Amino acid sequence: MDDPVTQVRPEDAATRSRVVVVITTAIGAGVLAWGLRAHPGSGTFYAATLAVAAIWTLGGVLAGPLHLGWTTHDGQLRRPVVGPILAGAALAAVFIVGALVVRNVAVLADLVESILTYARTGWWPGVLALTIANGVAEEVFFRGALQSALPQRLQLPGTVVVYALVTMATGNIMLGAASVVLGIIVGLQRRSTDGILAPALTHVTWSVSMLLFLPLVFR
């Protein structure tokens, strides 16, 4: 169980963490770009997507330490669970409403369709499992390792920018735009709870909701 009080790492540990973060970011972005250029449903796609999750997780652990975080309820410290799940569902609802507009703009609709191809092709349970794994892994690294490695005044904006740039390695501006909105929400959760549990729950809830309902808008 982690300490509810924010811990300050020694400078040598902080430097090592930053080096790990830089290396992980570069490798992860490259593999992510490779994976989303693979044929939907192919073995290469599944291997690359699983590799990305492993890279983010390993990088987050090596850069550590990681904390789950706390929230206060009735004067008591509790793990943030229900609120983040509801936040993820609400964010997904906003995106779905936005998708009703986007589907009428041919250029943007084509970009979304190129993403949905991966959800519609291949073994659906595998796609679901990878969606969950990558949601958790991204929060372990970006809101866990990266946000902790940055100077305090740059933690939120820096993490949002780096997360968006890494996502843009896929070459899809719709994914990049979504990453900015999601990054702000989960970054604020990380800052308010001092941990990755809330961001992970929100991210996974949002991702799974989009996987389930976005194809219905673009069918």
Side-chain angles (χ1 to χ4, degrees):
M1 183 178 295
D2 56 3
D3 193 328
V5 179
T6 302
Q7 304 203 7
V8 179
R9 286 178 282 181
E11 186 57 34
D12 58 341
T15 300
R16 179 183 62 82
S17 176
R18 292 179 187 123
V19 170
V20 172
V21 163
V22 170
I23 294 173
T24 303
T25 301
I27 296 174
V31 178
L32 177 63
W34 170 55
L36 283 181
R37 284 172 172 76
H39 190 275
S42 67
T44 300
F45 166 71
Y46 287 113
T49 307
L50 185 59
V52 170
I55 290 167
W56 296 144
T57 302
L58 181 61
V61 171
L62 291 178
L66 300 170
H67 304 285
L68 292 177
W70 302 87
T71 188
T72 303
H73 182 74
D74 293 334
Q76 294 183 330
L77 289 173
R78 295 185 179 181
R79 298 295 188 190
V81 176
V82 177
I85 293 175
L86 293 177
L91 184 60
V94 171
F95 271 77
I96 294 300
V97 171
L100 295 173
V101 176
V102 168
R103 70 179 181 179
N104 296 313
V105 182
V107 174
L108 299 181
D110 287 344
L111 290 172
V112 176
E113 285 286 359
S114 69
I115 302 169
L116 291 178
T117 301
Y118 293 92
R120 292 169 172 156
T121 307
W123 189 47
W124 197 87
V127 174
L128 176 61
L130 287 173
T131 298
I132 295 172
N134 273 275
V136 174
E138 287 182 6
E139 296 313 311
V140 167
F141 179 71
F142 289 98
R143 258 56 64 176
L146 175 60
Q147 194 155 331
S148 295
L150 293 172
Q152 188 171 9
R153 63 187 177 84
L154 296 177
Q155 286 184 343
L156 180 58
T159 304
V160 171
V161 169
V162 173
Y163 184 49
L165 289 175
V166 168
T167 304
M168 281 302 297
T170 63
N172 193 305
I173 62 172
M174 294 302 289
L175 281 177
S179 72
V180 171
V181 178
L182 177 63
I184 292 173
I185 300 299
V186 292
L188 289 171
Q189 291 178 325
R190 163 66 172 80
R191 187 167 68 181
S192 64
T193 65
D194 198 29
I196 61 173
L197 178 59
L201 289 173
T202 293
H203 192 147
V204 168
T205 302
W206 174 80
S207 295
V208 171
S209 297
M210 298 300 287
L211 180 66
L212 291 172
F213 300 111
L214 192 58
L216 300 179
V217 176
F218 285 85
R219 62 183 178 180

